[in-house]
């Protein structure tokens, strides 16, 4: 059935439909159209042209242009006033642009525009492009003695994150003039680990009570588990007092810890993440944005023309001249704006929010469309003024609009309005306005449910097990190191390699420098070489190796004591004598073995492997090698016995 438009909206729609036909009937021939006729949609200027034009309209030497689209809680006029107050005392001309549409992460990019702006203005002084908050986008100084590096360093070194542009301007002005940074912006010591710990367990933060409860649960679980382990060990040894003391101490410490931290959690003053962000609260009620400077300017333009194209809208303008006709063909009055969008503007880059803000301040009844850039094409938002419609039904075709140009997106959006049911009234409310601001739940619940019991029952006991394990390692590893065998059992192959190497050194001395070998050691040297030629087995290979080492040691120092260590003849020669009950009286020992107890020495006695079994090298105490301590006792007697025996294997 026909929709009862208000008279003003109906008249506009009629004019927009009929006017093109009337113009065609009354217009002269195309050949008579002036060549310099203005295009229906103005071409996009460069960023330098646009902002230079705006600065030229400001007072000379004190030009400040604040984009009405800046986000944040501070109105654009207050930001502008604060910037003048910051730079006026410098005594130099200044030209400042504050916009969210230049710099990293914007369609304007990181290209410098200030040299081109200055060329157009032809004026020296300080030039700056600032984002809505937190730093600067571009700085330049021409023809003045202001310190550009000083200004940059001052901002880099100060705590300006999140600060609005006019506060950043105060820091920047101090750096330019070489004066002290205003109080409150000095770089603060972050405090290291303790500061991070306090922040992570702050009850007013989103995860503060959960983190604190989890941490306390871990400590409590570790204390109780440790007390249980002490009780178990003590009861095994027949002790009663120690378990009782351990349990009472653990329970008391746990109770005090839990009680104090829980009281701290629930009693701390409300603050931090528990206070709703004012900018999020603004989204719940008209006009849905903190600053209406841009939307009021757009609404004023739409009162004169149903299509508004922002001068720095970064998308293609192709086809936009045909959009007014498409808007006029919609079943309700439609007004459209093609604008730049960024997460730092007043709508946080959301075209639906901007459309709702625009509809809330507009005087004309109808549907308000907003298109702007997004990472994969064009974003579209819609809202209604003086009309009622289902918010989802209006949002859905806009959210799923897949057109790649503003013109195509607006034409598609206008066509989609035919599927939306509109009625007269002022009750339209955008869907995003019904979303609740997310605030943390009750602290006490989060303290217990957020991790306390997980820490108490799982992580705490595991921590206790780890600590107990480290304790055992610290106590028992040295004992294990002292008690483990010095080496694995040596087989014939390993012993033969040792014997071949040592006898090779002896043979070289006998053949080339026999005079270096002491007379008392020559017989032992010859015996080692002769025995090596008799296909020796394990014990003989060991003896040949030790005998060769004794000969080589005597060559270096004829007075050296070369008695082998009784624990392992391959150890360094004995440096001490010690009483041994298991080895029979005072025995020669190397320095390392002398430090061990008798039981440990017995475990470290060298073993020789033959086949699948191994045995102590001293298993045959009457063997000449053992009886004569590898030549350290009566070497000639040992050599005679070895050479007389048939030791060929």
């Amino acid at each position: 059935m026909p929709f009862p438009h208000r008279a003003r909206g109906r008249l506009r729609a009629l004019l927009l439909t009929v006017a093109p036909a009337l113009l065609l009937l009354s217009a002269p021939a195309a050949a008579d159209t002036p060549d310099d006729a203005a295009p229906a949609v103005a071409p996009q200027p460069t960023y330098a042209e646009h902002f230079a034009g705006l600065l030229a309209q400001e007072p000379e030497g004190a030009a400040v242009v604040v984009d009405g689209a800046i986000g944040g809680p501070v109105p654009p006029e207050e930001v502008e006033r604060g910037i003048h107050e910051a730079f006026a005392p410098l005594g130099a001309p200044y030209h400042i642009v504050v916009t969210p549409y230049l710099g990293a992460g914007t369609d304007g990019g990181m290209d410098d525009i200030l040299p081109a702006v200055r060329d157009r203005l032809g004026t020296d002084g300080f030039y700056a492009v600032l984002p809505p908050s937190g730093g600067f986008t571009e700085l330049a100084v021409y023809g003045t003695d202001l310190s550009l590096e000083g200004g940059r360093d001052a901002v880099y070194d100060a705590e300006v994150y999140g600060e609005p542009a006019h506060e950043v301007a105060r820091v920047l002005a101090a750096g330019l003039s070489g004066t002290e940074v205003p109080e409150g912006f000095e770089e603060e010591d972050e405090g290291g680990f303790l500061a991070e710990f306090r922040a992570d367990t702050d009850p007013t933060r989103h995860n503060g009570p959960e983190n604190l409860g989890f941490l306390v649960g871990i400590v409590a679980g570790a204390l109780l588990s440790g007390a249980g382990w002490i009780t178990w060990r003590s009861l095994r040894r027949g002790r009663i007092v120690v378990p009782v003391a351990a349990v009472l101490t653990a329970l008391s410490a746990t109770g005090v810890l839990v009680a104090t931290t829980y009281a701290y959690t629930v009693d701390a003053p409300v603050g931090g993440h528990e206070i709703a962000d004012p900018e999020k609260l603004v989204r719940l009620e008209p006009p849905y944005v903190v600053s209406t400077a841009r939307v009021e300017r757009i609404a004023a333009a739409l009162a004169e023309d149903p299509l508004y194209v922002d001068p720095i809208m970064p998308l293609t303008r192709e086809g936009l001249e045909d959009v007014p006709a498409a808007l006029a063909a919609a079943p309700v009055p439609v007004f459209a704006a093609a604008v730049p969008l960024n997460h730092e503007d007043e709508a946080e880059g959301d075209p639906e929010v901007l459309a709702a803000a625009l509809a809330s301040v507009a005087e004309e009844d109808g549907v308000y469309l907003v298109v702007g850039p997004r990472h994969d094409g064009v974003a579209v938002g819609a809202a209604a003024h003086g009309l009622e419609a289902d918010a989802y039904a209006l949002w859905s075709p806009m959210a799923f609009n897949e057109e790649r140009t503003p013109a195509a997106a607006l034409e598609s959006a206008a066509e989609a309005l035919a599927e939306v049911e509109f009625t007269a009234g002022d009750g339209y409310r955008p869907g995003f306005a019904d979303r609740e601001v997310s605030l943390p739940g009750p602290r006490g619940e989060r303290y217990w449910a957020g991790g306390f019991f997980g820490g108490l029952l799982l992580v705490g006991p595991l921590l206790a097990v780890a600590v107990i394990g480290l304790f055992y390692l610290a106590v028992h590893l040295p004992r294990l190191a002292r008690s483990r065998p010095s080496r694995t059992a040596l087989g014939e192959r390993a012993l033969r390699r040792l014997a071949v190497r040592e006898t090779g050194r002896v043979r070289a001395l006998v053949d080339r420098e026999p005079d270096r070998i002491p007379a008392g050691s020559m017989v032992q040297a010859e015996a080692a070489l002769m025995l090596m030629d008799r296909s020796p087995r394990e014990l003989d290979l060991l003896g040949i190796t030790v005998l060769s080492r004794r000969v080589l040691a005597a060559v270096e120092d004829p007075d050296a004591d070369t008695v082998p260590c009784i624990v392992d003849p391959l150890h360094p020669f004995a440096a001490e004598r010690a009483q041994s009950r298991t080895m029979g009286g005072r025995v020669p020992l190397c320095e390392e073995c002398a430090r061990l107890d008798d039981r440990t020495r017995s475990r470290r006695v060298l073993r020789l492997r033959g086949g699948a079994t191994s045995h102590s090298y001293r298993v045959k105490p009457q063997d000449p090698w053992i009886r004569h301590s590898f030549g350290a006792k009566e070497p000639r007697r040992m050599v005679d016995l070895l050479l007389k025996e048939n030791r060929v294997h």
Side-chain angles (χ1 to χ4, degrees):
M1 75 183 212
F3 177 77
H5 301 307
R6 296 185 181 179
R8 193 173 184 180
R10 184 166 60 248
L11 177 61
R12 174 178 292 279
L14 179 62
L15 289 175
L16 288 173
T17 305
V18 176
L22 294 175
L23 288 173
L24 286 174
L25 291 174
S26 61
D32 297 331
T33 302
D35 293 337
D36 58 350
V41 177
Q44 180 181 0
T46 65
Y47 290 105
E49 290 172 342
H50 174 71
F51 288 111
L54 294 178
L55 289 169
Q57 300 173 29
E58 298 296 314
E60 185 176 353
V64 177
V65 172
V66 179
D67 196 320
I70 64 170
V74 184
E77 57 272 16
E78 185 176 333
V79 171
E80 180 179 348
R81 183 169 57 253
I83 290 175
H84 280 298
E85 292 174 356
F87 291 117
L90 295 179
Y94 55 90
H95 312 80
I96 313 298
V97 173
V98 181
T99 177
Y101 301 123
L102 292 176
T106 70
D107 292 287
M110 294 290 288
D111 293 338
D112 293 345
I113 68 165
L114 291 182
V117 170
R118 188 254 184 177
D119 288 344
R120 284 172 169 78
L121 296 179
T123 305
D124 287 342
F126 172 62
Y127 287 74
V129 176
L130 305 179
S133 66
F136 61 82
T137 302
E138 186 182 352
L139 305 177
V141 170
Y142 299 99
T144 74
D145 58 357
L146 297 176
S147 172
L148 185 61
E149 289 302 318
R152 287 174 176 161
D153 292 343
V155 176
Y156 287 145
D157 295 340
E159 293 290 330
V160 296
Y161 178 77
E163 295 291 339
H166 64 290
E167 296 292 348
V168 176
R170 294 173 58 204
V171 176
L172 189 55
L176 291 168
S177 60
T179 59
E180 292 187 6
V181 172
E183 187 177 351
F185 293 100
E186 299 86 353
E187 187 174 12
E188 297 179 1
D189 184 5
E190 295 182 356
F193 171 77
L194 288 179
E196 292 184 11
F197 175 80
R198 287 193 296 270
D200 290 339
T201 56
D202 184 346
T204 66
R205 293 172 67 96
H206 267 298
N207 296 320
E210 291 89 339
N211 292 338
L212 189 56
F214 182 57
L215 180 62
V216 171
I218 291 174
V219 175
L223 285 174
L224 295 176
S225 299
W229 174 71
I230 293 173
T231 299
W232 172 75
R233 279 179 54 90
S234 300
L235 291 177
R236 285 187 61 193
R237 299 180 180 183
R239 300 173 182 171
I240 302 299
V241 176
V242 172
V244 173
V247 171
L248 290 177
T249 301
L251 290 175
S252 301
T254 300
V256 171
L257 178 65
V258 173
T260 54
T261 55
Y262 180 76
Y264 163 71
T265 299
V266 298
D267 293 339
V270 175
H273 297 159
E274 297 173 324
I275 299 176
D277 185 344
E279 292 186 62
K280 295 187 182 300
L281 293 176
V282 166
R283 297 280 185 265
L284 305 182
E285 299 293 339
Y288 308 113
V289 293
V290 174
S291 168
T292 59
R294 176 164 67 156
V295 295
E296 289 175 351
R297 173 167 51 84
I298 296 173
L302 291 177
E304 305 297 329
D305 191 316
L307 175 64
Y308 169 80
V309 181
D310 192 282
I312 58 171
M313 193 273 296
L315 301 174
T316 177
R317 285 159 161 73
E318 183 179 356
L320 285 175
E321 64 273 6
D322 299 326
V323 168
L327 301 180
V332 293
V334 182
F335 307 89
V339 298
L341 295 172
N342 184 265
H343 69 280
E344 284 197 283
D345 63 28
E346 81 279 56
E348 295 182 338
D350 189 334
E352 185 187 11
V353 173
L354 189 58
L358 184 58
S360 71
V361 303
E363 296 181 359
E364 301 284 347
D365 294 344
V367 174
Y368 288 80
L369 302 177
V370 171
V371 295
R374 68 181 181 189
H375 66 279
D376 58 349
V378 180
V380 185
H385 176 82
L387 305 173
E388 292 186 8
D390 179 71
Y392 179 81
L394 184 56
W395 169 85
S396 181
M398 310 304 157
F400 295 101
N401 191 317
E402 297 182 353
E403 300 295 342
R404 311 296 292 182
T405 67
L410 288 173
E411 291 172 357
S412 175
E415 292 176 3
L417 295 179
E419 305 297 325
V420 182
E421 183 178 350
F422 292 97
T423 59
D426 290 320
Y428 177 77
R429 183 175 175 82
F432 65 79
D434 293 328
R435 301 168 191 162
E436 295 183 359
V437 176
S438 176
L439 294 176
R443 295 179 188 171
E445 294 179 7
R446 292 155 58 207
Y447 178 92
W448 297 116
F452 175 82
F453 291 105
L456 177 70
L457 301 177
L458 179 62
V459 182
L462 290 177
L463 177 62
V465 169
V467 173
I468 292 169
L470 291 174
F471 169 77
Y472 270 108
L473 288 176
V475 171
H476 293 288
L477 272 182
R479 295 179 183 176
L480 292 173
R482 290 193 298 268
S483 63
R484 71 175 185 269
S486 60
R487 65 178 83 241
T488 56
L490 292 178
E492 181 178 343
R493 182 176 299 178
L495 289 165
R496 188 173 298 280
R497 285 198 299 269
L498 291 172
V500 168
R501 185 184 66 192
E502 301 300 337
T503 55
R505 296 170 63 193
V506 171
R507 189 181 300 279
L509 282 172
V510 171
D511 292 344
R512 300 171 189 171
E513 300 177 276
D515 294 340
R516 292 187 58 197
I517 302 175
S521 298
M522 180 59 79
V523 173
Q524 299 176 59
E526 293 173 344
L529 298 177
M530 294 172 65
L531 290 170
M532 192 63 193
D533 294 333
R534 294 188 177 185
S535 302
R537 295 294 295 274
E538 292 87 358
L539 182 57
D540 289 330
L541 289 169
L542 175 63
I544 292 169
T545 300
V546 177
L547 191 61
S548 299
R549 288 182 176 179
R550 293 184 61 253
V551 171
L552 294 170
V555 169
E556 298 299 327
D557 182 4
D559 298 324
D561 189 355
T562 57
V563 177
C565 174
I566 196 171
V567 175
D568 187 342
L570 297 177
H571 282 181
F573 295 122
E576 298 184 28
R577 300 292 190 276
Q579 192 71 29
S580 173
R581 182 172 56 83
T582 59
M583 296 182 186
R586 289 180 63 81
V587 294
L589 299 168
C590 67
E591 290 185 1
E592 181 181 357
C593 292
R595 291 193 294 267
L596 305 177
D597 58 73
D598 206 28
R599 179 184 297 180
T600 304
R601 295 188 200 118
S602 298
R603 293 176 181 171
R604 299 187 65 182
V605 170
L606 176 65
R607 301 182 67 80
L608 304 180
R609 186 174 63 249
T613 62
S614 65
H615 55 81
S616 168
Y617 83 96
R618 296 176 58 83
V619 70
K620 297 179 181 180
Q622 296 305 314
D623 189 284
W625 289 116
I626 307 304
R627 271 174 53 189
H628 295 277
S629 192
F630 299 95
K633 300 177 183 178
E634 301 181 285
R636 288 185 176 275
R637 174 66 176 164
M638 182 193 74
V639 170
D640 290 342
L641 291 173
L642 292 172
L643 295 178
K644 288 179 181 179
E645 291 181 5
N646 182 16
R647 301 182 75 90
V648 179
H649 302 287

